[in-house]
Amino acid sequence: MSKNLTGFPESFLWGGAIAANQTEGAYLKDGKGLTTVDLLPIGEKRFPIMIGKLPSFSPLEGEFYPSHEAIDFYHRYKEDIALFAEMGFKTLRLSISWARIFPNGDEIEPNEAGLQFYDDLFDELKKYNIEPLVTLAHFDVPVHLVKEYGSWKNRKLISFFENYARTVFTRYKKKVKYWLTFNEINMLLHLPYIGAGLVFEEGEDEKQVKYQAAHHQLVASALAVKAGHEIIPDAKIGCMLAAGMTYPYSSNPNDVMDAMDKDRESFFFIDVQSRGEYPGYAKRFFLENDIELDMEENDEKILKENTVDYIGFSYYSSRVTSTDPKIQENTTSGNVFGSITNPYLEKSEWGWTIDPKGLRITANQLYDRYQKPLFVVENGLGAVDIPNEDGAVVDDYRIAYLREHLKEMKEAIRDGVDIIGYTSWGPIDIVSASTGEMKKRYGYIYVDRDNLGNGTLKRTKKKSFEWYKNIIQTNGKEL
Ligand code: BG6
């Protein structure tokens, strides 16, 4: 027994997670191209675009696009990283915007200004010994690839993505060791435009299109793993799942089966990325749904030989399912995946179920299934913060949420699950991915900006700032 089952290992990577499009702003600066997320306004058009039902290829008059300025991290990252360092971050998860490196996505030569921006950013992190954890694709595809090629519907995207991955691996090989390929790859099934830039045409078979696009992403992910291992010998390259176990509402075997099927919709992706082959249940699903994947001869070999080193996942809530139509009426939202209301649990202001024990259960479930190190790369509470008359944000609700989740994560480690790090979502307030709001805040650092872009962008520490700092300092001993 070599494992220390008392809690967090000394090497545990504490930190926070952000994404380019929700943070950087400067959306066309220094040669960056337009990406899919730059076309998501706040308001009623957002959802139809996110699910691929409302085509949009350029910003519309009269709409407000939060990603265009976001929190201006592009110009303020030094100040923000200094604050992360003050909290003692060991790691910062961030994404590279594909369109900063290849503005159109299909060029051969990269945009030097884009490469230089991330070079400087990584140097800044290095100053404080903060290890970067980099996502290659966090919900953004260069819009040119959507217009000209149909985005991930088209097999050509694989080689464009591989070229992008090879370019950044080569450029940052001395600076970045931890990588993730696609953020929440299973989101493709729920928000196909966000996950894969998919826009559906009238009469198109959506299931067929989504799984074909998924196949292209899975092959692209495997080729990125291959390239990463070739270029950076000590690289750790992971996949990333929007996780959260599905509970059956009752002990009726039909509910239990349904819960298993719902989980498999998501596991499908990780089964391929981690085990290297399409699982039997997926083959049956394809057959019964008339889905025929167009594969090339080498695809299966590529998937088999280039599996991921670790499993990254986000955890916000568990979900509940039932086969009883009456029970099904009582639904709630939760990181886009619908769920039935769990009568035992509270919800956030956005209706997301709060289930700390679900994190322990999910981590155990993933570890039992894959037997690879896990990395909790997102978790947190989106809440309305109202500064008091002194301008201070006393976010005890956030501390309570995080504390309970950290306790359960510690329990999972004591269960024997190999968890290598934890990056809470949005350590500084950023734009919400699902709604585009600024009002839905996750941060330890408050940013003065509202849903319509008013505000000074000034950064202020919230009460949770000192709390998280102490967690890191004590390596989670003082929860
Ligand atoms: C995850 C995404 O789905 O959840 C993030 O990877 C996102 O990009 C996070 O921001 C929280 O969701 P939201 O909608 O509250 O921003």
Side-chain angles (χ1 to χ4, degrees):
M1 293 288 282
S2 57
K3 260 202 168 136
N4 169 11
L5 295 184
T6 58
F8 301 102
E10 278 312 311
S11 57
F12 197 74
L13 289 165
W14 294 99
I18 54 177
N21 73 81
Q22 292 168 260
T23 314
E24 290 175 1
Y27 84 116
L28 292 178
K29 189 95 192 273
D30 297 331
K32 177 181 166 293
L34 201 62
T35 74
T36 42
V37 191
D38 295 327
L39 297 175
L40 289 180
I42 190 167
E44 57 187 37
K45 293 209 171 72
R46 190 175 181 89
F47 190 69
I49 298 177
M50 289 200 295
I51 58 171
K53 291 291 163 75
L54 181 63
S56 172
F57 297 114
S58 52
L60 303 169
E61 269 306 306
E63 298 288 344
F64 176 65
Y65 293 89
S67 78
H68 293 190
E69 273 181 270
I71 62 158
D72 196 32
F73 182 74
Y74 192 80
H75 297 108
R76 294 166 196 251
Y77 69 85
K78 290 192 179 165
E79 180 192 346
D80 295 340
I81 289 172
L83 288 165
F84 299 150
E86 196 183 326
M87 275 189 278
F89 276 25
K90 311 272 185 235
T91 187
L92 179 70
R93 176 180 172 226
L94 56 92
S95 71
I96 294 179
S97 169
W98 184 354
R100 278 202 199 286
I101 312 302
F102 291 98
N104 283 331
D106 59 356
E107 302 93 334
I108 307 289
E109 292 306 319
N111 169 33
E112 176 55 31
L115 285 169
Q116 190 59 47
F117 168 68
Y118 293 106
D119 251 324
D120 296 344
L121 185 58
F122 297 142
D123 289 346
E124 197 65 20
L125 291 172
K126 179 85 187 145
K127 257 174 50 186
Y128 300 101
N129 280 325
I130 299 176
E131 183 88 46
L133 160 59
V134 176
T135 316
L136 290 171
H138 192 126
F139 296 161
D140 54 7
V141 180
V143 170
H144 174 78
L145 296 184
V146 181
K147 279 202 289 205
E148 292 301 314
Y149 303 90
S151 191
W152 285 99
K153 288 179 194 175
N154 192 324
R155 191 172 173 99
K156 288 199 175 125
L157 268 272
I158 298 176
S159 54
F160 298 145
F161 186 80
E162 191 190 353
N163 186 33
Y164 159 58
R166 283 188 177 271
T167 303
V168 294
F169 289 149
T170 306
R171 178 75 170 221
Y172 306 125
K173 64 181 171 198
K174 298 226 169 72
K175 300 182 182 180
V176 182
K177 174 173 158 187
Y178 289 93
W179 298 85
L180 292 163
T181 56
F182 291 89
N183 180 62
E184 298 192 335
I185 189 163
N186 48 326
M187 199 56 90
L188 184 159
L189 299 180
H190 306 271
L191 297 177
Y193 179 77
I194 285 235
L198 302 182
V199 182
F200 298 107
E201 280 156 31
E202 255 325 281
E204 230 177 353
D205 178 346
E206 290 183 18
K207 266 194 199 154
Q208 168 71 34
V209 169
K210 285 195 224 174
Y211 280 99
Q212 186 64 56
H215 177 69
H216 293 150
Q217 286 197 342
L218 290 166
V219 173
S221 174
L223 287 171
V225 170
K226 181 169 188 280
H229 286 153
E230 279 167 18
I231 298 167
I232 316 171
D234 65 342
K236 300 279 175 221
I237 308 175
C239 54
M240 173 14 178
L241 173 76
M245 193 181 166
T246 310
Y247 303 146
Y249 187 81
S250 76
S251 54
N252 181 334
N254 289 335
D255 284 3
V256 178
M257 187 75 208
D258 193 47
M260 186 177 87
D261 285 345
K262 292 258 159 56
D263 275 346
R264 280 177 163 179
E265 277 177 17
S266 293
F267 286 150
F268 158 76
F269 293 87
I270 311 304
D271 285 355
V272 179
Q273 288 176 297
S274 183
R275 294 167 164 171
E277 58 193 17
Y278 279 90
Y281 65 81
K283 291 180 186 158
R284 176 174 178 172
F285 174 81
F286 292 155
L287 207 67
E288 290 179 350
N289 287 276
D290 293 326
I291 294 169
E292 268 185 57
L293 291 191
D294 202 357
M295 288 199 195
E296 283 192 1
E297 213 184 306
N298 245 347
D299 286 1
E300 288 185 333
K301 188 164 179 277
I302 291 168
L303 295 174
K304 192 70 199 168
E305 289 176 356
N306 301 289
T307 56
V308 290
D309 300 315
Y310 68 97
I311 315 292
F313 69 100
S314 62
Y315 177 82
Y316 294 92
S317 12
S318 54
R319 315 176 229 282
V320 179
T321 190
S322 168
T323 49
D324 179 337
K326 262 218 136 84
I327 307 280
Q328 283 172 359
E329 282 166 17
N330 194 6
T331 58
T332 187
S333 56
N335 202 9
V336 181
F337 301 68
S339 169
I340 285 165
T341 295
N342 187 325
Y344 301 98
L345 298 169
E346 303 284 318
K347 296 176 196 172
S348 78
E349 287 161 292
W350 273 263
W352 295 21
T353 306
I354 300 177
D355 180 13
K357 187 153 280 165
L359 174 55
R360 177 176 175 189
I361 298 169
T362 300
N364 271 279
Q365 190 194 26
L366 289 172
Y367 195 61
D368 285 351
R369 196 173 179 102
Y370 301 115
Q371 295 285 299
K372 286 191 183 175
L374 304 183
F375 204 140
V376 184
V377 295
E378 284 185 35
N379 171 238
L381 179 72
V384 179
D385 290 329
I386 302 177
N388 65 20
E389 56 279 14
D390 306 324
V393 174
V394 184
D395 52 345
D396 290 314
Y397 37 91
R398 180 167 294 109
I399 294 174
Y401 175 102
L402 292 168
R403 177 184 285 125
E404 293 312 309
H405 282 77
L406 294 184
K407 279 186 188 163
E408 294 296 340
M409 184 170 68
K410 192 168 176 175
E411 289 306 312
I413 293 173
R414 297 184 65 214
D415 293 334
V417 179
D418 184 8
I419 304 181
I420 56 178
Y422 173 88
T423 55
S424 65
W425 180 248
I428 181 166
D429 295 341
I430 56 180
V431 176
S432 157
S434 56
T435 68
E437 292 165 295
M438 267 309 290
K439 193 173 149 199
K440 191 179 187 193
R441 296 169 184 275
Y442 287 85
Y444 309 111
I445 302 161
Y446 185 86
V447 177
D448 178 25
R449 187 166 175 89
D450 71 13
N451 282 355
L452 293 175
N454 307 304
T456 60
L457 288 169
K458 181 168 175 260
R459 279 64 167 150
T460 316
K461 296 173 198 170
K462 302 181 196 173
K463 183 175 176 187
S464 54
F465 185 99
E466 290 301 326
W467 174 81
Y468 195 46
K469 181 176 172 181
N470 187 52
I471 297 286
I472 299 177
Q473 225 161 43
T474 62
N475 199 25
K477 281 191 193 77
E478 284 177 24
L479 281 171

